[in-house]
């Protein structure tokens, strides 16, 4: 046998059903009295009983939201207390981890000799899965912290966390650092040609045949980078034109490295032979020539190519990021 409940009874039942049993009776009595008073006020204003009841219940809103208020239960995944910490951590992880996974997956497949299509597919799948896992597990941790009301230090803030004020344009220290780095690069090229970096061996790492023309082209690029650093300092910061020039210089250096790597002309063959045989007596001379040098050269080319490409991509991206930040009002 069923009975017809009023709208008020149905509303109260929907509100208290998700509350703890020991709190249901108190909420039922308090909510029933509040609804009755509101209806009575509307009746005195001349509304009909049906319209007054519907208006009062509509004004109270979704009973689930009302129940959450009684239970002090949040209706959001991550609230104001943890939101900024969650968002900053998530952005940091997404900027670092997927890129590392992408490079590692592509590098591993390339060293294994996989086809280009398989290299790209594997890198994309690994990176996509990494992004999903980062978003899910990072969010889950903060949801648990939010629901359990944990008291942690990650949501604490004090004035020591205020960022330092930075200049709008590159400072003198940045210019000096760039010029010193470029000077060390030139010194390393000359030292490698004259003395080498192998202890007790006058053995250049770079192919001596690169001198003078290929190395001369590299020195021109280094000189252009030095002039470029001075121009940035004199202009007081990055512009779209400066970012374009930076991109061209970076791609020119990448092309210089990759062309020589693909031709097998970048690394000194004598250095490769030394690297194959220096690890022990396991390689005979014929074995080193037949298999060791080729395998090492291939792995070296892949690792060096990926490393240089990653550095170039970062240099280009950093330049455009600085340009966008400077153009912001």
């Amino acid at each position: 046998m069923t009975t017809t409940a009023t709208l008020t009874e149905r509303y109260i039942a929907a509100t208290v059903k998700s509350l703890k049993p020991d709190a249901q009776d108190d909420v039922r009595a308090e909510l029933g009295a509040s609804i009755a008073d509101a209806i009575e006020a509307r009746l005195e204003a001349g509304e009909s009983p049906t319209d007054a009841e519907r208006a009062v219940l509509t004004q109270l809103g979704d009973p689930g939201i009302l129940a959450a208020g009684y239970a002090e239960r949040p209706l959001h995944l991550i609230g104001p207390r943890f939101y900024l910490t969650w968002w900053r951590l998530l952005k940091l992880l997404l900027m670092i981890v997927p890129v590392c996974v992408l490079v590692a997956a592509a590098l591993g497949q390339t060293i294994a000799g996989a086809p280009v299509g398989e290299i790209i597919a594997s890198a994309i799948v690994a990176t996509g899965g990494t992004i999903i896992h980062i978003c899910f597990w990072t969010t889950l941790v903060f949801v648990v912290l939010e629901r359990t009301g944990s008291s942690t230090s990650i949501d604490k803030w004090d004035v020591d966390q205020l960022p330092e004020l930075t200049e709008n344009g590159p400072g003198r220290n940045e210019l000096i650092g760039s010029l010193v780095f470029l000077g060390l690069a030139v010194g390393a090229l000359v030292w490698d040609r004259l003395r080498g970096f192998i202890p007790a061996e006058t053995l250049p790492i770079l192919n001596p045949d690169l001198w003078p023309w290929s190395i001369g082209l590299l020195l021109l690029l280094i000189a252009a980078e030095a002039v470029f650093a001075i121009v940035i300092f004199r202009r007081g910061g990055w512009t779209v034109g400066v970012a374009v020039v930076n991109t061209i210089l970076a791609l020119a250096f990448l092309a210089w490295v990759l062309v020589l790597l693909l031709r097998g002309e970048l690394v000194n063959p004598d250095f490769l032979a030394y690297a194959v045989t220096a690890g022990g007596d396991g390689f005979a001379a014929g074995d080193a020539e037949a298999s060791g040098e080729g395998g090492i050269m291939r792995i070296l080319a892949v690792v060096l190519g990926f490393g240089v490409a990653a550095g170039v991509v970062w240099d280009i991206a950093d330049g455009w990021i600085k340009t966008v930040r400077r153009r912001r009002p």
Side-chain angles (χ1 to χ4, degrees):
M1 180 177 179
T2 60
T3 59
T4 302
T6 65
L7 291 177
T8 298
E9 292 171 339
R10 289 161 55 190
Y11 187 92
I12 294 175
T15 301
V16 302
K17 69 178 182 180
S18 61
L19 300 178
K20 294 181 180 180
D22 56 354
Q24 290 184 2
D25 292 338
D26 293 338
V27 172
R28 188 188 302 275
E30 178 185 342
L31 185 57
S34 177
I35 293 174
D37 291 341
I39 292 176
E40 184 177 354
R42 287 182 173 271
L43 292 176
E44 292 176 354
E47 294 187 22
S48 66
T50 300
D51 291 342
E53 183 180 32
R54 297 185 68 90
V56 169
L57 297 181
T58 300
Q59 189 174 14
L60 285 174
D62 191 322
I65 297 177
L66 192 62
Y70 279 113
E72 298 182 351
R73 184 173 59 245
L75 293 179
H76 46 257
L77 284 177
I78 302 173
R81 179 186 174 193
F82 293 112
Y83 179 81
L84 287 178
T85 304
W86 164 78
W87 181 235
R88 291 164 181 161
L89 177 61
L90 184 62
K91 287 193 297 183
L92 179 63
L93 293 175
L94 289 177
M95 285 191 296
I96 298 175
V97 179
V99 175
C100 295
V101 171
L102 175 67
V103 173
L107 179 60
Q109 291 294 325
T110 303
I111 292 177
V116 175
E118 185 176 345
I119 294 173
I120 296 175
S122 300
I124 292 176
V125 170
T127 305
T130 300
I131 292 173
I132 293 174
H133 279 285
I134 290 174
C135 293
F136 175 78
W137 293 109
T138 303
T139 304
L140 179 61
V141 168
F142 282 92
V143 168
V144 172
L145 292 175
E146 184 76 43
R147 290 299 180 276
T148 57
S150 301
S151 178
T152 66
S153 60
I154 62 175
D155 61 325
K156 300 292 191 302
W157 183 90
D158 58 61
V159 294
D160 292 332
Q161 297 177 12
L162 288 172
E164 296 290 340
L165 293 179
T166 57
E167 300 177 359
N168 292 329
R172 188 178 301 274
N173 291 337
E174 184 175 346
L175 171 63
I176 294 174
S178 299
L179 295 179
V180 168
F181 175 79
L182 294 173
L184 290 175
V186 173
L189 290 174
V190 175
W191 183 274
D192 180 67
R193 178 66 181 88
L194 299 178
R195 299 294 300 273
F197 289 95
I198 304 301
E201 296 281 346
T202 305
L203 190 62
I205 297 176
L206 296 179
N207 194 337
D209 294 338
L210 296 177
W211 293 81
W213 301 113
S214 295
I215 294 296
L217 178 59
L218 178 59
L219 292 175
L220 286 177
L221 288 175
I222 293 175
E225 285 284 356
V227 174
F228 178 71
I230 296 173
V231 169
I232 294 177
F233 175 74
R234 297 292 298 272
R235 293 177 67 93
W238 288 74
T239 63
V240 173
V242 170
V244 170
V245 173
N246 179 65
T247 301
I248 294 174
L249 289 175
L251 292 178
F253 173 69
L254 178 63
W256 184 87
V257 173
L258 292 183
V259 168
L260 293 176
L261 274 177
L262 293 176
R263 290 180 178 178
E265 299 174 357
L266 183 63
V267 182
N268 184 6
D270 294 335
F271 169 76
L272 288 178
Y274 175 84
V276 171
T277 58
D281 299 330
F283 277 96
D287 294 334
E289 182 178 355
S291 60
E293 286 187 31
I296 286 181
M297 184 59 194
R298 181 174 175 277
I299 295 175
L300 179 63
V302 171
V303 173
L304 184 58
F306 268 83
V308 172
V312 167
V313 169
W314 170 251
D315 182 44
I316 294 173
D318 183 57
W320 285 104
I321 289 172
K322 290 177 179 177
T323 302
V324 171
R325 288 177 177 172
R326 191 168 186 267
R327 290 170 61 90
R328 288 177 181 173

